[in-house]
Amino acid sequence: MKDILNLISPGKPFLPDSLNAMQLGQTNAMRHLWLTASVSLFAGRETRFRMLEVGSWMGASVLTWAAAIDRFIAGDGEILCVDTWSPYLASDDINVDGAYHAMNQAASTELAYSVFRHNASCVPKKVRVDHLRGRSKDVLSMLREGGFDIVYVDGSHYYADVVADLAEARRLVADGGLLCGDDLEQQLTEVDEKYLRDNIDRDAVVDPKNRKPYHPGVTLAVAEAMGPVSSYTGFWVMRRKGDGFEPVDLAGTSPFLPGHFSEEYRKTVLDWARESGFFQKKA
Ligand SMILES: C[S@@+](CC[C@H](N)C(=O)[O-])C[C@H]1O[C@@H](n2cnc3c(N)ncnc32)[C@H](O)[C@@H]1O
């Protein structure tokens, strides 16, 4: 498989939409701006920059983190990826979403793992990518407390898994570092809590009152572990300060979209960034 991927995409990322490699739902494309914006908060840092990503799939977000480290961090960078690269979705959830069906197939055939390793080998030279293959609840407990400048939680959306991931993630992020995650489309105060609790075992639901989709496991687990968080189109982020966490303002930062975005996505995301005015420097 390694040879085949090198033949199809020599030295370049391989991110086919048919396998949902880019993980680009409606708001997910914006997420890459928030990832690069988060790294820009450490701009000029000269000592080694360490990141942990829980849930890497085919490596699209790793490529973005690596490009941001390459651009903003003066010293070397290191990204540790933790993933099972095996099927993890409940059958009820697979059946409601065609993209999930393709993901489940790619995970069960080792294709996802092979593509991840190919893409992880395409990062800039000053960034080292390591990975640990296993369930996060088994792997994260082995890692050193406070060992990471950014911990990004983008693994399972199921409540019990997110609770476990966040308990470890809080421990693993360094003082002054960022704890962040994906798939928080709505916070607990925005949704019908009874409906959320009745559907807590689902991957995604639509809130009966505001009609917006969200991941109930992520919403409840984040609320319980972190309280209200800074959130940007589904991406959430907080900075560790001593034993607590404080909000993070990404307005006025300098995000960018790395080279593995197709022209089509690039246009959508950059148009949004321009029109929203979100990243313009404050006067
Ligand atoms: C949404 S995808 C990650 C997307 C990736 N961060 C990106 O943006 O390109 C979720 C990933 O979490 C992994 N995952 C799910 N449950 C997990 C668990 N309990 N432990 C480790 N990884 C898990 C899946 O295998 C999948 O690759």
Side-chain angles (χ1 to χ4, degrees):
M1 181 61 77
K2 188 172 175 226
D3 292 342
I4 296 173
L5 290 168
N6 275 330
L7 205 60
I8 297 173
S9 191
K12 292 214 171 96
F14 178 63
L15 293 158
D17 278 345
S18 55
L19 300 178
N20 202 14
M22 288 293 279
Q23 296 280 295
L24 295 176
Q26 213 174 22
T27 57
N28 258 8
M30 312 309 172
R31 174 176 59 116
H32 291 253
L33 290 177
W34 313 122
L35 305 190
T36 59
S38 299
V39 177
S40 78
L41 296 175
F42 298 86
R45 157 88 172 250
E46 287 179 357
T47 50
R48 180 167 277 261
F49 189 76
R50 294 196 165 91
M51 278 207 54
L52 169 67
E53 177 172 271
V54 183
S56 294
W57 188 231
M58 294 188 172
S61 50
V62 176
L63 287 162
T64 296
W65 289 120
I69 291 171
D70 192 43
R71 176 170 302 194
F72 295 117
I73 305 296
D76 288 347
E78 200 172 283
I79 306 174
L80 176 62
C81 301
V82 174
D83 202 303
T84 52
W85 290 285
S86 63
Y88 68 100
L89 293 156
S91 50
D92 281 356
D93 293 319
I94 294 170
N95 294 335
V96 295
D97 191 323
Y100 275 175
H101 191 72
M103 282 181 73
N104 198 55
Q105 293 279 93
S108 33
T109 55
E110 291 289 284
L111 183 57
Y113 184 49
S114 299
V115 174
F116 165 79
R117 282 184 299 165
H118 172 83
N119 288 334
S121 72
C122 299
V123 298
K125 283 202 170 40
K126 78 180 211 189
V127 182
R128 170 178 160 162
V129 178
D130 294 311
H131 69 270
L132 291 171
R133 190 175 190 183
R135 294 189 64 173
S136 49
K137 74 170 188 187
D138 302 323
V139 174
L140 299 183
S141 58
M142 300 187 302
L143 304 177
R144 187 167 59 83
E145 180 159 350
F148 300 93
D149 299 297
I150 295 184
V151 176
Y152 178 54
V153 179
D154 192 17
S156 162
H157 301 141
Y158 295 116
Y159 173 69
D161 294 332
V162 189
V163 167
D165 287 351
L166 290 179
E168 287 296 340
R170 284 177 63 99
R171 182 182 74 77
L172 294 170
V173 67
D175 200 10
L178 302 182
L179 172 51
C180 53
D182 191 27
D183 302 302
L184 184 71
E185 297 82 6
Q186 305 202 67
Q187 304 208 40
L188 187 57
T189 50
E190 298 173 273
V191 300
D192 177 334
E193 189 171 337
K194 179 175 183 320
Y195 185 82
L196 177 149
R197 290 185 185 276
D198 288 346
N199 289 280
I200 195 61
D201 292 330
R202 300 297 309 276
D203 173 70
V205 294
V206 174
D207 183 76
K209 291 194 179 134
N210 65 32
R211 310 304 309 161
K212 293 184 194 155
Y214 72 102
H215 293 88
V218 177
T219 293
L220 187 58
V222 170
E224 288 174 350
M226 308 296 296
V229 290
S230 329
S231 80
Y232 303 96
T233 65
F235 173 80
W236 64 270
V237 55
M238 297 290 278
R239 187 187 291 277
R240 180 165 177 186
K241 193 173 181 200
D243 290 335
F245 285 84
E246 56 185 24
V248 175
D249 186 4
L250 294 178
T253 51
S254 316
F256 69 100
L257 267 192
H260 58 284
F261 272 77
S262 68
E263 277 313 311
E264 183 198 348
Y265 284 125
R266 184 170 293 279
K267 188 172 171 346
T268 311
V269 177
L270 297 181
D271 282 353
W272 174 84
R274 225 178 345 263
E275 279 158 26
S276 70
F278 186 86
F279 291 107
Q280 279 157 26
K281 294 270 178 239
K282 291 173 193 160

